[in-house]
């Protein structure tokens, strides 16, 4: 039978001589910390900045402490490039200094790319280390378990880019291996190490889940600034080049919202940028003029068309250039092409055979490119995380074979006043998380999201030809969201597409705004997600089919949003995104209350003007002072358009003047600080502090939930797992002196509540 040698699996022979790769001080410190932790089972994180050598550190440690001691290692990641990088590091680290008792060991690399990697069905008990994509292992979990885990007394599980381990497929794989060891009475034989540069840059809710996946938290970490000081990473030099092109004029308010939510340019604008001969010529000219200073260059392009256009211009100028992309579709055949060439192009760039490498939604996470001197950010982004990852590609310092300084050149278009693009001037702006007041930043972001939502509404009110009377009659504060759900979904690089086997996944952020009229319904829906999903059988899949998604959407609308056409701010896409998120993570999205909401009540501003009978000059001075107050949210909320702000104040004043005679103006609830919270109704608490209201509500439902997850009616004993089947009620009514305390709150079914109300009315 004819055979052929491939690097999908085989043996690695221990090299003779001395390991030429000496670790840095921080890597040696990390290995000491890991060795200390390894005295007992652990599940923790190694955190090093981009370029800090996470892969090399982990490989050195596991070779000496596991492979050399005949213990098994499973290394998992979500991208093929990460698998290849781990394998290459493993090959070039096999020296006697780490493997004193081993002459050779067996490896296997597994992924959906069967042209270059192996399949789970071929796993053998003799494999010492398996490097695999988590999706491939999940699809062949029985082979991993039966052919390998069951034959192992000790396993180290390494999770590369561990901040992604919150996804359901990661957790399924991890839990399966852990449970296997427990079932065999060998729980002490399981250890897990997560590698990441960004443990705190996921959403707050997912940070909590990261801690659940890695309960031992951070075992060792080093700050990026320390590595720059030591010369291991280069000092970034930020340069901005104004393009003087006004692409923002092409953006609608809906486009702006899409950019803020998804960090993705609308197709029409992306195409205009990609094909802008003026902009592209400036990018290439700027490089050519500074060629000796900038090369080798890594360019982050907007999309495939942009990469192709730039590549053509670079080549016309005699520069050896090429491009890589996570996914390229041949429009004629619909087939994926050129994906296999990416690795070869990256190798050529590393070897100096390419001077410029242009990439689209790749090379931001985990890829080692030690020769990069400069990055061009021709693709605008609102993501601090993405900006950090892009900049990190150029930070190889002198001690690591790089340079003292690295250049980060951002090509700025004239749209900063419309969109909050990330354009750092110094490294601490993007990496110094500990110096940022996250609460203020969060409130500013929420206010900005609300502004994007409201700009179209404000513009309609400015247009005298459009009748907006009905909208104007609404209490202004009711048109301001009480908070948002924030979450991210791992998707293919094509927007809103599920992760495919060959596509490089990216994490996209989503925000869902909640208003007074939708908050209760959303809260019940989100808390009932587990029960809602029991109506479909997605098993271990993370992606819903179109049919499943549509079915769940209609079910959700029927159960929780029956009057959706009349609900302010309701969108089918918001519900769909929450459903997609739950399918992937099996967790509730994080709710962030807009705790500064009451500071955005224009009725208070109008009442001050009205009751104090201010003159025109005094009104102007008063409104100007509010508008320019740096601690206020007015400018952000109104999109930095003073006329929108002034128009809304006039509307609120007109209400007080009786311009809308059929409108009963509801006075704003003013609650003195001396009033105890427990003396307020739940409605008042929600108006004052949405976050506190939710905490109280969660505590009440938890109190009346049994061990099997069923909520139990305090009166009738009726049981259900869905919050929508109950409502919270005071045991002793507030009219009789009852307080909003946990011990005085209960859950009742609608039928039981109606009966309780009937009996109370009879007593009166």
């Amino acid at each position: 039978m004819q055979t052929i040698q491939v690097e999908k699996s085989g043996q690695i022979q221990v090299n003779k001589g001395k390991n030429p790769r000496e670790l840095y001080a921080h890597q040696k410190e990390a290995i000491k910390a890991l060795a200390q932790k390894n005295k007992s089972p652990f599940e923790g994180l190694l955190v090093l900045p981009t370029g800090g050598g996470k892969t090399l550190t982990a490989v050195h440690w596991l070779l000496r402490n596991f492979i050399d001691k005949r213990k098994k290692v499973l290394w998992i990641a979500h991208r093929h490039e990460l698998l290849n990088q781990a394998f290459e590091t493993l090959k070039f680290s096999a020296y006697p200094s780490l493997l004193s008792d081993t002459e050779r060991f067996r490896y296997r690399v597994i992924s959906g790319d069967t042209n270059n990697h192996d399949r789970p069905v071929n796993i053998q008990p003799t494999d010492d280390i398996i490097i695999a994509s988590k999706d491939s292992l999940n699809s062949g979990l029985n082979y991993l378990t039966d052919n390998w885990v069951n034959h192992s007394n000790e396993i180290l599980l390494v999770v590369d880019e561990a901040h992604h381990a919150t996804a359901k497929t990661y957790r399924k794989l991890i839990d399966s291996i852990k449970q296997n060891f427990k079932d065999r009475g060998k729980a002490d034989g399981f250890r897990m190490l997560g590698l990441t540069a960004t443990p705190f840059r996921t959403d707050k809710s997912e940070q909590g889940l990261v801690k659940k996946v890695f309960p031992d938290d951070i075992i060792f970490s080093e700050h990026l600034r320390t590595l720059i000081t030591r010369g291991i990473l280069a000092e970034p030099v930020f340069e901005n080049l104004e393009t003087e092109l006004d692409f923002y004029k092409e953006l609608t308010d809906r486009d702006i919202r899409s950019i803020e939510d998804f960090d993705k340019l609308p197709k029409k604008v992306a195409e205009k940028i990609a094909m802008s001969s003026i902009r592209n010529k400036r990018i290439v000219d700027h490089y050519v003029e500074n060629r000796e200073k900038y090369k080798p260059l890594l360019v982050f392009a907007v999309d495939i068309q942009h990469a192709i256009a730039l590549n053509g211009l670079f080549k016309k100028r005699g520069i050896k250039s090429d491009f890589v992309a996570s996914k390229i579709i041949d429009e004629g055949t619909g087939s994926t092409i050129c994906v296999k060439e990416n690795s070869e192009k990256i190798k050529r760039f590393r070897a100096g055979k390419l001077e410029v490498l242009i990439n689209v939604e790749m090379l931001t996470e985990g890829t080692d490119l030690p020769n990069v001197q400069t990055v061009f950010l021709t693709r605008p982004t609102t993501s601090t995380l993405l900006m950090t990852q892009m900049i990190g590609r150029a930070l190889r310092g002198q001690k690591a074979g790089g340079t003292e300084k690295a250049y980060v050149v951002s090509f700025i278009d004239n749209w900063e006043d419309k969109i909050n693009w990330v354009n750092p001037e110094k490294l601490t702006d993007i990496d110094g998380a500990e110096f940022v007041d996250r609460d203020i930043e969060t409130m500013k972001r929420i206010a900005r999201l609300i502004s994007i939502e409201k700009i179209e509404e404000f513009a309609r009110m400015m247009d005298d030809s459009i009748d907006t009377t009905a909208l104007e009659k609404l209490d202004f504060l009711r048109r301001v969201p009480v908070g948002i759900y924030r979450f991210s979904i791992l998707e293919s690089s094509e927007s809103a597409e599920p992760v495919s086997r060959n596509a490089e996944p990216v994490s996209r952020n989503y925000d869902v705004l909640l208003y007074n009229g939708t908050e209760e319904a959303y809260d019940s829906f989100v808390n009932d997600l587990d029960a809602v999903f029991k109506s479909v059988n997605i098993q271990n899949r993370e992606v819903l089919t179109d049919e499943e998604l549509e079915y769940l959407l209609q079910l959700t609308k029927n159960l929780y949003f029956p009057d959706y056409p009349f609900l302010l701010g309701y969108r089918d896409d918001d519900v769909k995104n929450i459903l997609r998120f739950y399918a992937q993570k099996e967790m509730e999205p994080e709710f962030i209350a807009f705790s500064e909401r009451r500071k955005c009540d224009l009725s208070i501003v109008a009442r001050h003007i009205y009751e104090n009978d201010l003159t025109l000059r005094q009104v102007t001075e008063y409104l100007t002072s509010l508008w320019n107050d740096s601690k206020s949210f007015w400018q952000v909320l109104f999109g930095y358009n003073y006329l929108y702000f002034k128009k809304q104040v006039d509307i609120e004043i007109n209400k007080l003047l009786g311009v809308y005679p059929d409108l009963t103006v509801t006075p704003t609830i003013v609650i003195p600080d001396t009033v105890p919270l427990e003396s307020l109704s739940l409605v008042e608490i929600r108006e004052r502090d949405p976050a506190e209201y939710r905490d109280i509500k969660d505590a009440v439902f938890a109190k009346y939930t049994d061990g099997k997850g069923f909520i139990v009616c305090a009166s009738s004993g009726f049981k259900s797992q869905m919050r929508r089947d109950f409502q919270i009620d005071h045991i002793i009514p507030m009219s009789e002196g009852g307080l909003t305390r946990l011990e005085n709150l209960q859950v009742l079914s609608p039928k039981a509540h109606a009966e309780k109300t009937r009996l109370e009315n009879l007593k009166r």
Side-chain angles (χ1 to χ4, degrees):
M1 181 183 294
Q2 185 179 7
T3 61
I4 185 172
Q5 286 188 328
V6 293
E7 284 200 336
K8 298 178 179 181
S9 63
Q11 296 185 26
I12 293 179
Q13 183 78 35
V14 176
N15 296 304
K16 296 180 180 179
K18 183 180 179 182
N19 191 332
R21 303 181 76 172
E22 182 70 20
L23 297 184
Y24 298 111
H26 74 279
Q27 293 173 309
K28 293 177 181 178
E29 293 168 9
I31 286 176
K32 287 181 181 179
L34 291 172
Q36 180 66 28
K37 196 70 175 178
N38 193 36
K39 291 180 180 179
S40 59
F42 71 88
E43 299 165 44
L45 294 165
L46 170 62
V47 179
L48 294 178
T50 300
K54 295 182 295 296
T55 303
L56 183 62
T57 303
V59 166
H60 271 235
W61 178 70
L62 68 84
L63 284 176
R64 175 175 290 162
N65 293 277
F66 287 85
I67 299 300
D68 197 41
K69 292 179 169 50
R70 309 298 192 274
K71 300 175 183 178
K72 305 290 189 179
V73 176
L74 174 60
W75 186 298
I76 61 174
H78 68 290
R79 293 198 294 112
H80 299 166
E81 180 65 23
L82 295 174
L83 304 180
N84 295 335
Q85 179 178 303
F87 178 57
E88 292 297 314
T89 305
L90 190 72
K91 284 196 301 183
F92 293 111
S93 300
Y95 283 88
S97 59
L98 301 174
L99 298 160
S100 58
D101 294 331
T102 302
E103 294 182 358
R104 63 182 62 85
F105 58 93
R106 288 197 56 79
Y107 72 89
R108 193 174 304 276
V109 185
I110 298 171
S111 82
D113 179 12
T114 53
N115 290 320
N116 298 295
H117 298 151
D118 210 346
R119 297 177 173 86
V121 68
N122 295 322
I123 292 174
Q124 300 295 323
T126 54
D127 293 337
D128 295 299
I129 181 168
I130 296 174
I131 302 173
S133 71
K134 52 99 177 177
D135 290 327
S136 293
L137 287 185
N138 268 309
S139 63
L141 189 55
N142 57 320
Y143 298 113
L144 177 72
T145 301
D146 297 341
N147 298 348
W148 196 70
V149 176
N150 285 342
H151 299 270
S152 308
N153 292 325
E154 290 192 53
I155 284 180
L156 169 68
L157 173 58
V158 180
V159 183
D160 206 352
E161 302 299 338
H163 48 281
H164 291 306
T166 57
K168 183 168 64 178
T169 46
Y170 271 106
R171 288 184 281 133
K172 176 199 170 187
L173 182 61
I174 294 168
D175 292 343
S176 175
I177 297 173
K178 286 174 63 176
Q179 190 60 47
N180 179 282
F181 271 78
K182 289 180 181 179
D183 293 344
R184 292 189 290 126
K186 300 180 182 294
D188 288 351
F190 177 81
R191 279 135 170 91
M192 182 167 63
L193 177 65
L195 310 178
T196 181
T198 55
F200 302 125
R201 288 191 174 88
T202 52
D203 286 339
K204 183 179 178 182
S205 62
E206 294 193 41
Q207 292 175 23
L209 199 58
V210 169
K211 180 64 183 293
K212 289 183 179 180
V213 178
F214 299 95
D216 290 304
D217 215 308
I218 296 174
I219 298 171
F220 180 85
S221 66
E222 186 58 271
H223 199 277
L224 190 149
R225 176 56 60 184
T226 301
L227 300 189
I228 292 176
T229 302
R230 294 178 181 177
I232 297 168
L233 297 182
E235 180 75 44
V237 178
F238 295 98
E239 299 177 355
N240 291 336
L241 186 68
E242 297 287 346
T243 66
E244 300 178 3
L245 298 178
D246 297 333
F247 291 112
Y248 75 87
K249 293 180 179 178
E250 305 294 323
L251 299 176
T252 65
D253 295 328
R254 190 175 298 277
D255 292 335
I256 295 174
R257 173 179 165 80
S258 176
I259 292 170
E260 292 280 2
D261 284 356
F262 309 127
D263 192 38
K264 190 172 181 68
L265 288 168
K267 185 176 181 180
K268 62 181 180 181
V269 178
E271 288 177 349
K272 192 152 190 173
I273 294 176
M275 305 314 295
S276 172
S277 57
I278 297 174
R279 187 176 191 267
N280 291 342
K281 184 176 184 299
R282 284 180 181 169
I283 292 169
V284 175
D285 285 348
H286 187 67
Y287 175 74
V288 173
E289 293 166 5
N290 299 274
R291 187 174 181 180
E292 293 306 313
K293 170 183 172 183
Y294 285 160
K295 69 178 182 181
L297 170 69
L298 180 64
V299 180
F300 289 90
V302 174
D303 55 20
I304 296 294
Q305 289 73 25
H306 193 208
I308 293 172
L310 287 174
N311 190 46
L313 288 177
F314 276 117
K315 286 186 173 181
K316 281 185 180 180
R317 302 297 293 271
I319 294 168
K320 293 180 179 179
S321 169
D322 213 328
F323 68 93
V324 293
S326 60
K327 188 179 181 182
I328 307 175
I329 302 297
D330 187 308
E331 294 184 357
T333 64
S335 61
T336 302
I337 60 175
C338 296
V339 173
K340 299 176 186 177
E341 300 177 13
N342 283 338
S343 294
E344 183 59 33
K345 292 176 181 178
I346 293 170
K347 287 179 181 177
R348 290 172 59 206
F349 182 64
R350 285 194 183 112
K353 295 179 181 179
L354 291 176
E355 184 176 331
V356 175
L357 185 63
I358 308 162
N359 86 98
V360 181
E361 295 189 323
M362 281 188 68
L363 309 182
T364 59
E365 193 173 63
T367 308
D368 186 23
L369 297 171
N371 58 325
V372 173
Q373 172 66 63
T374 306
V375 293
F376 273 13
L377 308 179
T378 71
R379 170 224 198 283
T381 180
T382 60
S383 167
T384 302
L385 170 57
L386 179 58
M387 179 66 71
T388 304
Q389 291 173 332
M390 290 192 295
I391 291 171
R393 295 303 106 210
L395 295 185
R396 182 61 64 100
Q398 286 180 309
K399 290 186 179 179
T403 57
E404 180 182 359
K405 296 181 179 180
Y407 298 97
V408 179
V409 184
S410 182
F411 292 83
I412 308 299
D413 307 308
N414 294 337
W415 47 15
E416 289 92 334
D417 62 331
K418 296 283 277 186
I419 302 166
N420 186 34
W421 298 116
V422 179
N423 295 305
E425 297 180 357
K426 57 182 180 178
L427 191 64
T428 50
D429 287 346
I430 60 168
D431 195 67
E434 61 269 31
F435 300 115
V436 179
D437 187 332
R438 290 300 178 193
D439 290 337
I440 292 177
E441 289 298 306
T442 297
M443 290 305 107
K444 289 287 187 182
R445 174 171 173 78
I446 294 176
R448 189 163 61 249
L449 284 170
I450 296 169
S451 168
I452 295 167
E453 178 80 13
K454 294 300 172 190
I455 284 174
E456 185 176 341
E457 173 186 306
F458 297 149
R460 291 202 308 271
M461 291 184 177
M462 292 291 292
D463 187 347
D464 292 335
S465 66
I466 300 174
D467 184 7
T468 58
T469 304
L471 189 60
E472 292 172 15
K473 288 181 179 180
L474 290 176
D475 181 4
F476 180 79
L477 200 58
R478 288 193 167 272
R479 287 157 44 205
V480 177
V482 298
I484 64 172
Y485 283 122
R486 293 214 62 198
F487 52 93
S488 61
I489 303 175
L490 202 63
E491 300 172 346
S492 74
S493 55
E494 299 298 320
S495 179
E497 287 187 5
V499 179
S500 69
R501 178 167 290 184
N502 292 317
E504 296 291 348
V506 295
S507 183
R508 300 196 189 282
N509 295 324
Y510 290 90
D511 298 285
V512 177
L513 278 65
L514 275 63
Y515 296 80
N516 277 91
T518 59
E519 190 274 336
E520 282 289 328
Y522 266 113
D523 182 52
S524 294
F525 161 52
V526 166
N527 277 277
D528 295 348
L529 277 168
D530 183 58
V532 169
F533 265 73
K534 288 180 180 177
S535 62
V536 294
N537 183 21
I538 70 169
Q539 297 178 329
N540 295 315
R541 287 184 288 115
E542 291 185 349
V543 179
L544 294 163
T545 65
D546 291 341
E547 293 76 14
E548 289 169 339
L549 187 58
E550 184 61 29
Y551 168 77
L552 289 176
L553 170 65
Q554 296 306 321
L555 176 65
T556 299
K557 289 166 71 173
N558 291 337
L559 291 177
Y560 302 95
F561 305 98
D563 51 350
Y564 68 91
F566 311 104
L567 293 177
L568 180 66
Y570 173 85
R571 290 185 178 85
D572 281 357
D573 283 347
D574 289 341
V575 173
K576 285 183 177 180
N577 287 332
I578 291 175
L579 291 167
R580 292 196 303 123
F581 170 76
Y582 189 81
Q584 187 172 107
K585 297 293 181 71
E586 283 188 333
M587 64 178 293
E588 298 174 10
E590 176 194 13
F591 174 76
I592 306 175
F594 188 20
S595 58
E596 303 296 325
R597 179 172 177 263
R598 294 190 64 79
K599 294 182 180 179
C600 300
D601 191 353
L602 276 183
S603 66
I604 296 175
V605 175
R607 186 170 287 106
H608 174 80
I609 295 172
Y610 176 77
E611 292 179 350
N612 289 280
D613 198 21
L614 300 185
T615 65
L616 181 61
R617 174 177 291 181
Q618 289 172 326
V619 169
T620 301
E621 291 175 350
Y622 173 55
L623 293 181
T624 301
S625 67
L626 292 178
W627 182 254
N628 293 324
D629 184 355
S630 61
K631 295 181 180 180
S632 76
F633 293 87
W634 296 122
Q635 289 195 25
V636 178
L637 183 64
F638 285 93
Y640 300 93
N641 188 319
Y642 179 80
L643 292 179
Y644 289 169
F645 171 66
K646 179 64 167 58
K647 175 71 172 181
Q648 293 299 314
V649 173
D650 290 342
I651 289 172
E652 295 301 314
I653 292 175
N654 285 338
K655 291 178 183 178
L656 297 173
L657 292 173
V659 173
Y660 305 114
D662 57 331
L663 174 66
T664 301
V665 180
T666 304
T668 303
I669 300 173
V670 179
I671 306 169
D673 289 337
T674 54
V675 176
L677 193 69
E678 61 185 18
S679 68
L680 304 177
S681 69
L682 283 171
V683 173
E684 290 172 319
I685 292 174
R686 184 175 69 171
E687 285 292 322
R688 182 186 186 191
D689 191 338
E692 181 67 26
Y693 165 73
R694 282 189 163 230
D695 288 343
I696 294 172
K697 186 163 59 173
D698 289 343
V700 176
F701 274 105
K703 178 181 176 182
Y704 286 90
T705 301
D706 64 19
K708 294 182 179 180
F710 284 89
I711 304 167
V712 183
C713 173
S715 174
S716 67
F718 167 76
K719 293 184 178 182
S720 171
Q721 290 183 309
M722 305 181 78
R723 280 196 182 185
R724 66 175 293 273
D725 295 331
F726 301 92
Q727 57 194 87
I728 296 178
D729 181 68
H730 285 76
I731 298 172
I732 301 175
M734 297 196 76
S735 60
E736 298 177 12
L739 298 174
T740 305
R741 293 176 176 171
L742 182 59
E743 59 268 25
N744 190 45
L745 295 173
Q746 61 185 348
V747 293
L748 298 176
S749 68
K751 183 177 180 181
H753 183 265
E755 178 62 17
K756 178 175 179 286
T757 302
R758 186 184 70 82
L759 293 174
E760 288 175 350
N761 289 336
L762 288 176
K763 290 180 182 178
R764 297 184 187 131

